[in-house]
Amino acid sequence: PGDENVKKLIAVLAFPFATHASPLLSLVQRLSPAVPEARFIFFNTAKSNNAIFLEDDKRWDSIRPYNVSDGTPENYVSSGSPMEPIENFAKATPENFRTAMETVVEETGMGFSCIITDAFYWFAADMAQELQAPWVAFWTAGPRSVLLHLDTDLIRGILKLSRIDGKMLDFLPGFSGICATDIPPEITCGDLNSPMPRMLHKMGLMLPKATAVAINSFEEIDTAMVNLTNSRFKKFLNIGPLVLTLPDLKISDSEGCLQWLDKQKQESVAYISFGSTVMPPPHELEALAEALETSGFHFIWSIRGNPEEKLPKGFLERTKDKGIVVSWAPQLKILQHEATGAFITHCGWNSVLESIVGGVPMICRAFFGDQRLNMRTIENVWGVGTGIGDGEITKDGAMKALELVLSSEEGQYMRQKLEDIRKLAFDAVQSHGSSTANFETLTAVITK
Ligand code: U2F
């Protein structure tokens, strides 16, 4: 709306790391037409805002990026640890958000009628109470991990921190057969005084206070979780997969991955990506490269940075007829292409959903956070993928997994199961689907 038609201000508080802010922006883009009189202020770091707001996109004029401090101390010299920017940012919250929100209130003379935040932001419970406004928390991962965070204290009490190896979560409804070592380590053994475990612990305590928790998932993907989540939150709204509910965005494919795929046989290509933050250690990259070279399967490998430096010497030249290596791939389109037959993934939730939507079985090498839990769900609950070796990538383990998924009957069986789940995903976002109904409930919460 033009300034004079703005009747409501809605604050959106994004988490600026990994793939958190862009699904939150997708959610807000979907909400905005439903609340035409509202202006959404998207509070996020400058770096993340610059990455996700496309310059020429005027479709969502009612969503305005607003930069907040990223918490980098003055004269800061980076140690190179990838956790450091996250920890600096976590320390700067919630003051950085509060300052920015106060400035907007002063500038516009309007108060916020609703706060939509990344679910990590437990402090929004207090903000919402002060404003007497609803708090909508958005969880960017799966339903199992959010439930476990609620029970951090219980789980820690039962498992006893020092020895979790070999212990099972059978005492938790819905989690029998899941090992304690498979769940996010922040829950079982993280130091609750350090920034991320502390934030997640507090989140577990505060999230039940949210007016609604929205999640980028759909009820039918994990029916065992539906009653459990409904009983723990005021409103738990599966509204995804969001990738199926947005207009087709321009996805750049400067390296021609899709054209190359057009020339490949059906279900013959392995796509490899470890998401936006993970980089496997050099010996695992080498093992995977050797497995691809020896097995001869065709591949697209998305690897951030300079591939010449990351992959074995001569690998790119020797495999140039078999595969493409790019620094960023049109993943969603690749996974929907009929030539793609396997996805070697770190099991980030967005990747898992995209693989399901594309009907591509997964070969899993999980690293941190919810990823191992997602891997177990893929393997044991849905049966649509396999682990790789003993957790680390080895040449032999990768070759066996590729063989299994790309050229065995078991791989075909996984594809059939995926077809069923995939259909459920598409049904959920149809006009009578569960995600559509939940989205309407969510709209009602923010328009009230
Ligand atoms: C964190 O996950 P990541 O950001 O590491 O990974 P994903 O959730 O799988 O999201 C990666 C997204 O980046 C896209 C891809 C996904 O939408 O399509 N992408 C791409 O377009 N091209 C590429 O070459 C590579 C990736 C965290 F690490 C996980 O544990 C969490 O589950 C996740 C959600 O909270 O956030």
Short mmCIF file of all heavy atoms in Angstrom, two decimals, residues 18-20 140-141 271 273-278 302 327-332 346-352 354 368-371 374, ligand 1:
data_model
loop_
_atom_site.label_atom_id
_atom_site.label_comp_id
_atom_site.label_asym_id
_atom_site.label_seq_id
_atom_site.Cartn_x
_atom_site.Cartn_y
_atom_site.Cartn_z
N ALA A 18 22.17 -19.45 7.51
CA ALA A 18 21.69 -20.66 6.83
C ALA A 18 20.40 -20.32 6.06
O ALA A 18 20.15 -19.16 5.74
CB ALA A 18 21.48 -21.80 7.82
N THR A 19 19.57 -21.33 5.79
CA THR A 19 18.37 -21.02 5.00
C THR A 19 17.20 -20.80 5.95
O THR A 19 16.31 -21.65 6.09
CB THR A 19 18.11 -22.15 3.99
OG1 THR A 19 19.32 -22.35 3.26
CG2 THR A 19 17.02 -21.77 3.00
N HIS A 20 17.22 -19.68 6.65
CA HIS A 20 16.14 -19.32 7.57
C HIS A 20 15.36 -18.12 7.05
O HIS A 20 14.14 -18.12 7.04
CB HIS A 20 16.72 -18.99 8.96
CG HIS A 20 16.92 -20.19 9.80
ND1 HIS A 20 16.24 -20.40 10.98
CD2 HIS A 20 17.73 -21.26 9.64
CE1 HIS A 20 16.62 -21.55 11.51
NE2 HIS A 20 17.53 -22.08 10.72
N THR A 140 11.62 -23.28 10.73
CA THR A 140 12.03 -23.56 9.34
C THR A 140 12.43 -25.02 9.11
O THR A 140 12.76 -25.39 7.99
CB THR A 140 13.23 -22.67 8.94
OG1 THR A 140 14.26 -22.86 9.91
CG2 THR A 140 12.86 -21.21 8.86
N ALA A 141 12.44 -25.82 10.18
CA ALA A 141 12.83 -27.23 10.00
C ALA A 141 11.60 -28.12 10.20
O ALA A 141 10.47 -27.65 10.06
CB ALA A 141 13.96 -27.56 10.95
N TYR A 271 22.61 -35.66 -7.95
CA TYR A 271 22.82 -34.23 -7.63
C TYR A 271 23.41 -34.17 -6.23
O TYR A 271 22.95 -34.87 -5.31
CB TYR A 271 21.49 -33.48 -7.71
CG TYR A 271 21.58 -32.09 -7.12
CD1 TYR A 271 22.39 -31.12 -7.70
CD2 TYR A 271 20.87 -31.75 -5.96
CE1 TYR A 271 22.51 -29.85 -7.13
CE2 TYR A 271 20.97 -30.49 -5.39
CZ TYR A 271 21.79 -29.55 -5.99
OH TYR A 271 21.92 -28.32 -5.43
N SER A 273 24.66 -31.66 -3.04
CA SER A 273 24.78 -30.34 -2.40
C SER A 273 24.69 -30.53 -0.89
O SER A 273 23.89 -31.35 -0.41
CB SER A 273 23.66 -29.41 -2.86
OG SER A 273 23.51 -28.36 -1.91
N PHE A 274 25.51 -29.79 -0.17
CA PHE A 274 25.46 -29.86 1.29
C PHE A 274 24.92 -28.56 1.88
O PHE A 274 25.29 -28.16 2.99
CB PHE A 274 26.85 -30.22 1.84
CG PHE A 274 27.35 -31.55 1.35
CD1 PHE A 274 28.28 -31.64 0.31
CD2 PHE A 274 26.83 -32.72 1.88
CE1 PHE A 274 28.71 -32.87 -0.16
CE2 PHE A 274 27.25 -33.96 1.40
CZ PHE A 274 28.19 -34.03 0.37
N GLY A 275 24.09 -27.88 1.10
CA GLY A 275 23.37 -26.72 1.64
C GLY A 275 24.20 -25.46 1.72
O GLY A 275 25.25 -25.34 1.09
N SER A 276 23.73 -24.54 2.55
CA SER A 276 24.31 -23.19 2.53
C SER A 276 25.43 -22.98 3.54
O SER A 276 26.12 -21.98 3.49
CB SER A 276 23.21 -22.16 2.76
OG SER A 276 22.69 -22.32 4.07
N THR A 277 25.62 -23.92 4.49
CA THR A 277 26.66 -23.67 5.50
C THR A 277 27.69 -24.79 5.62
O THR A 277 28.84 -24.54 5.95
CB THR A 277 26.03 -23.46 6.90
OG1 THR A 277 25.08 -24.48 7.09
CG2 THR A 277 25.36 -22.13 7.02
N VAL A 278 27.27 -26.01 5.36
CA VAL A 278 28.18 -27.15 5.58
C VAL A 278 29.23 -27.25 4.48
O VAL A 278 28.93 -27.04 3.31
CB VAL A 278 27.36 -28.47 5.59
CG1 VAL A 278 28.24 -29.68 5.45
CG2 VAL A 278 26.51 -28.55 6.85
N SER A 302 27.06 -29.20 -6.63
CA SER A 302 27.07 -27.79 -6.20
C SER A 302 28.02 -27.68 -5.02
O SER A 302 27.77 -28.27 -3.96
CB SER A 302 25.66 -27.36 -5.80
OG SER A 302 25.72 -26.15 -5.08
N SER A 327 29.09 -23.51 -8.43
CA SER A 327 29.19 -22.99 -7.06
C SER A 327 27.79 -22.77 -6.46
O SER A 327 27.65 -22.65 -5.25
CB SER A 327 29.99 -21.70 -7.03
OG SER A 327 29.36 -20.76 -7.86
N TRP A 328 26.78 -22.70 -7.27
CA TRP A 328 25.40 -22.59 -6.79
C TRP A 328 24.49 -23.11 -7.91
O TRP A 328 24.64 -22.69 -9.05
CB TRP A 328 25.05 -21.14 -6.43
CG TRP A 328 23.75 -21.01 -5.67
CD1 TRP A 328 22.57 -20.52 -6.14
CD2 TRP A 328 23.53 -21.37 -4.30
NE1 TRP A 328 21.62 -20.57 -5.14
CE2 TRP A 328 22.17 -21.07 -4.00
CE3 TRP A 328 24.32 -21.91 -3.28
CZ2 TRP A 328 21.60 -21.29 -2.74
CZ3 TRP A 328 23.75 -22.13 -2.03
CH2 TRP A 328 22.41 -21.81 -1.77
N ALA A 329 23.62 -24.03 -7.60
CA ALA A 329 22.82 -24.67 -8.64
C ALA A 329 21.34 -24.32 -8.48
O ALA A 329 20.90 -23.99 -7.39
CB ALA A 329 22.98 -26.18 -8.52
N PRO A 330 20.57 -24.40 -9.58
CA PRO A 330 19.12 -24.22 -9.44
C PRO A 330 18.50 -25.49 -8.85
O PRO A 330 17.88 -26.28 -9.55
CB PRO A 330 18.66 -23.96 -10.88
CG PRO A 330 19.70 -24.60 -11.73
CD PRO A 330 20.99 -24.61 -10.98
N GLN A 331 18.73 -25.69 -7.56
CA GLN A 331 18.44 -26.98 -6.90
C GLN A 331 17.00 -27.45 -7.07
O GLN A 331 16.74 -28.60 -7.40
CB GLN A 331 18.79 -26.88 -5.41
CG GLN A 331 18.41 -28.13 -4.64
CD GLN A 331 19.02 -28.20 -3.27
OE1 GLN A 331 20.22 -27.97 -3.10
NE2 GLN A 331 18.23 -28.51 -2.26
N LEU A 332 16.08 -26.52 -6.81
CA LEU A 332 14.67 -26.91 -6.86
C LEU A 332 14.32 -27.47 -8.24
O LEU A 332 13.63 -28.48 -8.37
CB LEU A 332 13.82 -25.67 -6.53
CG LEU A 332 12.33 -25.86 -6.43
CD1 LEU A 332 11.98 -26.87 -5.34
CD2 LEU A 332 11.67 -24.52 -6.11
N HIS A 346 23.01 -33.10 2.88
CA HIS A 346 23.30 -32.99 4.31
C HIS A 346 22.01 -33.05 5.14
O HIS A 346 22.04 -32.92 6.35
CB HIS A 346 24.02 -31.67 4.60
CG HIS A 346 23.16 -30.46 4.42
ND1 HIS A 346 22.38 -30.24 3.30
CD2 HIS A 346 22.92 -29.39 5.22
CE1 HIS A 346 21.73 -29.11 3.42
NE2 HIS A 346 22.02 -28.57 4.58
N CYS A 347 20.87 -33.19 4.45
CA CYS A 347 19.57 -33.34 5.11
C CYS A 347 19.09 -32.06 5.80
O CYS A 347 18.41 -32.14 6.84
CB CYS A 347 19.57 -34.50 6.11
SG CYS A 347 20.10 -36.04 5.41
N GLY A 348 19.44 -30.90 5.28
CA GLY A 348 18.80 -29.65 5.71
C GLY A 348 17.31 -29.76 5.36
O GLY A 348 16.96 -30.38 4.34
N TRP A 349 16.46 -29.19 6.18
CA TRP A 349 15.02 -29.41 5.99
C TRP A 349 14.52 -28.93 4.63
O TRP A 349 13.68 -29.59 4.00
CB TRP A 349 14.23 -28.75 7.11
CG TRP A 349 12.76 -29.06 7.01
CD1 TRP A 349 11.77 -28.22 6.64
CD2 TRP A 349 12.16 -30.35 7.24
NE1 TRP A 349 10.56 -28.88 6.63
CE2 TRP A 349 10.77 -30.19 7.00
CE3 TRP A 349 12.64 -31.59 7.62
CZ2 TRP A 349 9.87 -31.24 7.13
CZ3 TRP A 349 11.73 -32.65 7.75
CH2 TRP A 349 10.37 -32.47 7.50
N ASN A 350 15.03 -27.79 4.17
CA ASN A 350 14.56 -27.30 2.86
C ASN A 350 14.93 -28.29 1.76
O ASN A 350 14.13 -28.56 0.86
CB ASN A 350 15.15 -25.93 2.55
CG ASN A 350 14.66 -24.88 3.53
OD1 ASN A 350 13.51 -24.49 3.50
ND2 ASN A 350 15.53 -24.47 4.45
N SER A 351 16.14 -28.82 1.84
CA SER A 351 16.57 -29.80 0.83
C SER A 351 15.70 -31.05 0.90
O SER A 351 15.32 -31.61 -0.14
CB SER A 351 18.04 -30.17 1.05
OG SER A 351 18.86 -29.08 0.73
N VAL A 352 15.39 -31.49 2.11
CA VAL A 352 14.56 -32.69 2.25
C VAL A 352 13.20 -32.47 1.58
O VAL A 352 12.72 -33.30 0.79
CB VAL A 352 14.39 -33.05 3.75
CG1 VAL A 352 13.40 -34.19 3.94
CG2 VAL A 352 15.73 -33.40 4.39
N GLU A 354 12.42 -30.31 -0.71
CA GLU A 354 12.56 -30.15 -2.17
C GLU A 354 12.77 -31.50 -2.84
O GLU A 354 12.30 -31.73 -3.96
CB GLU A 354 13.71 -29.18 -2.48
CG GLU A 354 13.36 -27.74 -2.08
CD GLU A 354 14.57 -26.80 -2.01
OE1 GLU A 354 15.64 -27.12 -2.58
OE2 GLU A 354 14.44 -25.72 -1.39
N PHE A 368 25.05 -31.37 11.32
CA PHE A 368 24.76 -30.78 12.63
C PHE A 368 23.26 -30.51 12.80
O PHE A 368 22.47 -30.73 11.89
CB PHE A 368 25.58 -29.50 12.85
CG PHE A 368 25.19 -28.37 11.93
CD1 PHE A 368 24.16 -27.51 12.27
CD2 PHE A 368 25.85 -28.16 10.73
CE1 PHE A 368 23.77 -26.48 11.43
CE2 PHE A 368 25.48 -27.12 9.88
CZ PHE A 368 24.44 -26.29 10.23
N GLY A 369 22.93 -30.00 14.00
CA GLY A 369 21.54 -29.59 14.25
C GLY A 369 20.56 -30.73 14.02
O GLY A 369 20.76 -31.86 14.47
N ASP A 370 19.50 -30.43 13.28
CA ASP A 370 18.42 -31.39 13.03
C ASP A 370 18.77 -32.42 11.95
O ASP A 370 17.95 -33.28 11.64
CB ASP A 370 17.18 -30.62 12.59
CG ASP A 370 17.45 -29.80 11.32
OD1 ASP A 370 18.60 -29.34 11.13
OD2 ASP A 370 16.52 -29.62 10.51
N GLN A 371 19.96 -32.31 11.36
CA GLN A 371 20.21 -33.09 10.14
C GLN A 371 20.22 -34.61 10.35
O GLN A 371 19.70 -35.36 9.53
CB GLN A 371 21.51 -32.61 9.49
CG GLN A 371 21.39 -31.16 9.01
CD GLN A 371 22.72 -30.47 8.78
OE1 GLN A 371 23.77 -31.09 8.80
NE2 GLN A 371 22.68 -29.16 8.55
N ASN A 374 16.70 -35.75 10.71
CA ASN A 374 16.07 -35.80 9.39
C ASN A 374 16.51 -37.05 8.64
O ASN A 374 15.71 -37.72 7.98
CB ASN A 374 16.41 -34.56 8.57
CG ASN A 374 15.87 -33.28 9.19
OD1 ASN A 374 14.96 -33.34 10.01
ND2 ASN A 374 16.43 -32.14 8.83
C1 U2F B 1 20.02 -24.97 7.59
O1 U2F B 1 20.11 -25.58 6.35
P1 U2F B 1 20.89 -25.18 5.01
O2 U2F B 1 20.67 -23.79 4.64
O3 U2F B 1 22.31 -25.61 5.06
O4 U2F B 1 20.20 -26.21 3.99
P2 U2F B 1 18.71 -26.40 3.49
O5 U2F B 1 17.69 -26.25 4.55
O6 U2F B 1 18.74 -27.70 2.81
O7 U2F B 1 18.52 -25.23 2.45
C2 U2F B 1 19.37 -25.04 1.40
C3 U2F B 1 18.61 -24.21 0.37
O8 U2F B 1 19.53 -23.67 -0.56
C4 U2F B 1 19.13 -24.00 -1.87
C5 U2F B 1 18.27 -25.23 -1.73
C6 U2F B 1 17.59 -25.01 -0.40
O9 U2F B 1 16.41 -24.24 -0.58
O10 U2F B 1 17.39 -25.33 -2.84
N1 U2F B 1 20.32 -24.28 -2.72
C7 U2F B 1 20.30 -23.87 -4.00
O11 U2F B 1 19.32 -23.31 -4.50
N2 U2F B 1 21.41 -24.11 -4.78
C8 U2F B 1 22.50 -24.74 -4.29
O12 U2F B 1 23.45 -24.91 -5.05
C9 U2F B 1 22.50 -25.17 -2.95
C10 U2F B 1 21.39 -24.94 -2.18
C11 U2F B 1 20.47 -25.98 8.61
F1 U2F B 1 21.77 -26.32 8.34
C12 U2F B 1 19.58 -27.22 8.56
O13 U2F B 1 20.02 -28.15 9.51
C13 U2F B 1 18.12 -26.82 8.78
O14 U2F B 1 17.29 -27.93 8.60
C14 U2F B 1 17.75 -25.72 7.79
C15 U2F B 1 16.35 -25.19 8.01
O15 U2F B 1 16.22 -24.68 9.29
O16 U2F B 1 18.66 -24.63 7.86
#
